[in-house]
PDB file of all heavy atoms in Angstrom:
ATOM      1  N   ILE A  94      -1.001  -6.808   8.297  1.00 89.00           N
ATOM      2  CA  ILE A  94       0.185  -7.457   8.858  1.00 89.00           C
ATOM      3  C   ILE A  94      -0.287  -8.616   9.724  1.00 89.00           C
ATOM      4  O   ILE A  94      -1.437  -8.634  10.184  1.00 89.00           O
ATOM      5  CB  ILE A  94       1.068  -6.480   9.688  1.00 89.00           C
ATOM      6  CG1 ILE A  94       0.273  -5.855  10.834  1.00 89.00           C
ATOM      7  CG2 ILE A  94       1.700  -5.423   8.800  1.00 89.00           C
ATOM      8  CD1 ILE A  94       1.106  -5.032  11.799  1.00 89.00           C
ATOM      9  N   ASP A  95       0.595  -9.597   9.915  1.00 87.00           N
ATOM     10  CA  ASP A  95       0.237 -10.776  10.711  1.00 87.00           C
ATOM     11  C   ASP A  95       0.573 -10.608  12.186  1.00 87.00           C
ATOM     12  O   ASP A  95      -0.051 -11.212  13.042  1.00 87.00           O
ATOM     13  CB  ASP A  95       0.974 -12.013  10.180  1.00 87.00           C
ATOM     14  CG  ASP A  95       0.573 -12.326   8.750  1.00 87.00           C
ATOM     15  OD1 ASP A  95      -0.608 -12.103   8.404  1.00 87.00           O
ATOM     16  OD2 ASP A  95       1.443 -12.781   7.987  1.00 87.00           O
ATOM     17  N   LYS A  96       1.611  -9.792  12.467  1.00 87.00           N
ATOM     18  CA  LYS A  96       2.095  -9.661  13.835  1.00 87.00           C
ATOM     19  C   LYS A  96       2.487  -8.217  14.078  1.00 87.00           C
ATOM     20  O   LYS A  96       3.082  -7.571  13.215  1.00 87.00           O
ATOM     21  CB  LYS A  96       3.302 -10.586  14.032  1.00 87.00           C
ATOM     22  CG  LYS A  96       3.866 -10.587  15.416  1.00 87.00           C
ATOM     23  CD  LYS A  96       5.081 -11.491  15.499  1.00 87.00           C
ATOM     24  CE  LYS A  96       5.809 -11.236  16.808  1.00 87.00           C
ATOM     25  NZ  LYS A  96       7.151 -11.730  16.797  1.00 87.00           N
ATOM     26  N   ASN A  97       2.150  -7.715  15.259  1.00 87.00           N
ATOM     27  CA  ASN A  97       2.513  -6.349  15.620  1.00 87.00           C
ATOM     28  C   ASN A  97       3.933  -6.355  16.189  1.00 87.00           C
ATOM     29  O   ASN A  97       4.168  -6.896  17.265  1.00 87.00           O
ATOM     30  CB  ASN A  97       1.520  -5.796  16.652  1.00 87.00           C
ATOM     31  CG  ASN A  97       1.767  -4.350  16.982  1.00 87.00           C
ATOM     32  OD1 ASN A  97       2.845  -3.821  16.763  1.00 87.00           O
ATOM     33  ND2 ASN A  97       0.747  -3.705  17.523  1.00 87.00           N
ATOM     34  N   PRO A  98       4.898  -5.751  15.479  1.00 88.00           N
ATOM     35  CA  PRO A  98       6.291  -5.780  15.949  1.00 88.00           C
ATOM     36  C   PRO A  98       6.510  -4.942  17.220  1.00 88.00           C
ATOM     37  O   PRO A  98       7.538  -5.062  17.870  1.00 88.00           O
ATOM     38  CB  PRO A  98       7.080  -5.203  14.774  1.00 88.00           C
ATOM     39  CG  PRO A  98       6.094  -4.362  14.038  1.00 88.00           C
ATOM     40  CD  PRO A  98       4.763  -5.016  14.234  1.00 88.00           C
ATOM     41  N   MET A  99       5.545  -4.122  17.574  1.00 84.00           N
ATOM     42  CA  MET A  99       5.684  -3.254  18.743  1.00 84.00           C
ATOM     43  C   MET A  99       5.377  -3.988  20.051  1.00 84.00           C
ATOM     44  O   MET A  99       5.773  -3.522  21.116  1.00 84.00           O
ATOM     45  CB  MET A  99       4.745  -2.047  18.625  1.00 84.00           C
ATOM     46  CG  MET A  99       5.046  -1.133  17.471  1.00 84.00           C
ATOM     47  SD  MET A  99       6.628  -0.297  17.622  1.00 84.00           S
ATOM     48  CE  MET A  99       6.303   0.781  18.985  1.00 84.00           C
ATOM     49  N   THR A 100       4.672  -5.124  19.980  1.00 83.00           N
ATOM     50  CA  THR A 100       4.240  -5.784  21.218  1.00 83.00           C
ATOM     51  C   THR A 100       5.405  -6.290  22.053  1.00 83.00           C
ATOM     52  O   THR A 100       5.310  -6.326  23.270  1.00 83.00           O
ATOM     53  CB  THR A 100       3.287  -6.960  20.919  1.00 83.00           C
ATOM     54  OG1 THR A 100       3.926  -7.849  20.009  1.00 83.00           O
ATOM     55  CG2 THR A 100       1.976  -6.476  20.357  1.00 83.00           C
ATOM     56  N   SER A 101       6.501  -6.646  21.426  1.00 78.00           N
ATOM     57  CA  SER A 101       7.620  -7.195  22.191  1.00 78.00           C
ATOM     58  C   SER A 101       8.655  -6.137  22.571  1.00 78.00           C
ATOM     59  O   SER A 101       9.657  -6.453  23.198  1.00 78.00           O
ATOM     60  CB  SER A 101       8.295  -8.320  21.405  1.00 78.00           C
ATOM     61  OG  SER A 101       8.732  -7.829  20.158  1.00 78.00           O
ATOM     62  N   TYR A 102       8.407  -4.877  22.203  1.00 78.00           N
ATOM     63  CA  TYR A 102       9.364  -3.817  22.519  1.00 78.00           C
ATOM     64  C   TYR A 102       8.872  -3.014  23.712  1.00 78.00           C
ATOM     65  O   TYR A 102       7.791  -2.435  23.685  1.00 78.00           O
ATOM     66  CB  TYR A 102       9.566  -2.890  21.315  1.00 78.00           C
ATOM     67  CG  TYR A 102      10.776  -2.004  21.476  1.00 78.00           C
ATOM     68  CD1 TYR A 102      12.053  -2.519  21.336  1.00 78.00           C
ATOM     69  CD2 TYR A 102      10.640  -0.663  21.783  1.00 78.00           C
ATOM     70  CE1 TYR A 102      13.172  -1.721  21.486  1.00 78.00           C
ATOM     71  CE2 TYR A 102      11.750   0.144  21.936  1.00 78.00           C
ATOM     72  CZ  TYR A 102      13.007  -0.390  21.788  1.00 78.00           C
ATOM     73  OH  TYR A 102      14.112   0.404  21.947  1.00 78.00           O
ATOM     74  N   LYS A 103       9.663  -3.001  24.745  1.00 78.00           N
ATOM     75  CA  LYS A 103       9.302  -2.287  25.973  1.00 78.00           C
ATOM     76  C   LYS A 103      10.125  -1.010  26.092  1.00 78.00           C
ATOM     77  O   LYS A 103      11.349  -1.033  25.964  1.00 78.00           O
ATOM     78  CB  LYS A 103       9.548  -3.165  27.213  1.00 78.00           C
ATOM     79  CG  LYS A 103       8.821  -4.495  27.180  1.00 78.00           C
ATOM     80  CD  LYS A 103       7.325  -4.298  27.271  1.00 78.00           C
ATOM     81  CE  LYS A 103       6.619  -5.633  27.245  1.00 78.00           C
ATOM     82  NZ  LYS A 103       5.424  -5.653  26.470  1.00 78.00           N
ATOM     83  N   LEU A 104       9.442   0.069  26.344  1.00 73.00           N
ATOM     84  CA  LEU A 104      10.110   1.351  26.573  1.00 73.00           C
ATOM     85  C   LEU A 104      10.272   1.574  28.059  1.00 73.00           C
ATOM     86  O   LEU A 104       9.470   1.112  28.860  1.00 73.00           O
ATOM     87  CB  LEU A 104       9.256   2.495  26.019  1.00 73.00           C
ATOM     88  CG  LEU A 104       9.224   2.655  24.513  1.00 73.00           C
ATOM     89  CD1 LEU A 104       8.196   3.692  24.119  1.00 73.00           C
ATOM     90  CD2 LEU A 104      10.579   3.059  23.985  1.00 73.00           C
ATOM     91  N   GLY A 105      11.299   2.314  28.403  1.00 69.00           N
ATOM     92  CA  GLY A 105      11.465   2.703  29.799  1.00 69.00           C
ATOM     93  C   GLY A 105      10.401   3.720  30.187  1.00 69.00           C
ATOM     94  O   GLY A 105       9.804   4.370  29.334  1.00 69.00           O
ATOM     95  N   ARG A 106      10.170   3.833  31.450  1.00 70.00           N
ATOM     96  CA  ARG A 106       9.183   4.785  31.937  1.00 70.00           C
ATOM     97  C   ARG A 106       9.780   6.193  31.901  1.00 70.00           C
ATOM     98  O   ARG A 106      10.889   6.424  32.362  1.00 70.00           O
ATOM     99  CB  ARG A 106       8.799   4.421  33.368  1.00 70.00           C
ATOM    100  CG  ARG A 106       7.461   4.904  33.747  1.00 70.00           C
ATOM    101  CD  ARG A 106       7.076   4.341  35.112  1.00 70.00           C
ATOM    102  NE  ARG A 106       5.803   4.867  35.465  1.00 70.00           N
ATOM    103  CZ  ARG A 106       4.677   4.223  35.318  1.00 70.00           C
ATOM    104  NH1 ARG A 106       4.684   3.002  34.842  1.00 70.00           N
ATOM    105  NH2 ARG A 106       3.537   4.780  35.644  1.00 70.00           N
ATOM    106  N   ALA A 107       9.048   7.122  31.331  1.00 61.00           N
ATOM    107  CA  ALA A 107       9.523   8.502  31.234  1.00 61.00           C
ATOM    108  C   ALA A 107       9.340   9.206  32.570  1.00 61.00           C
ATOM    109  O   ALA A 107       8.366   8.979  33.274  1.00 61.00           O
ATOM    110  CB  ALA A 107       8.743   9.249  30.151  1.00 61.00           C
TER     111      ALA A 107
END
Side-chain angles (χ1 to χ4, degrees):
I94 58 172
D95 298 325
K96 182 182 167 198
N97 185 340
M99 296 294 292
T100 55
S101 58
Y102 194 74
K103 304 293 180 220
L104 286 172
R106 205 172 178 99

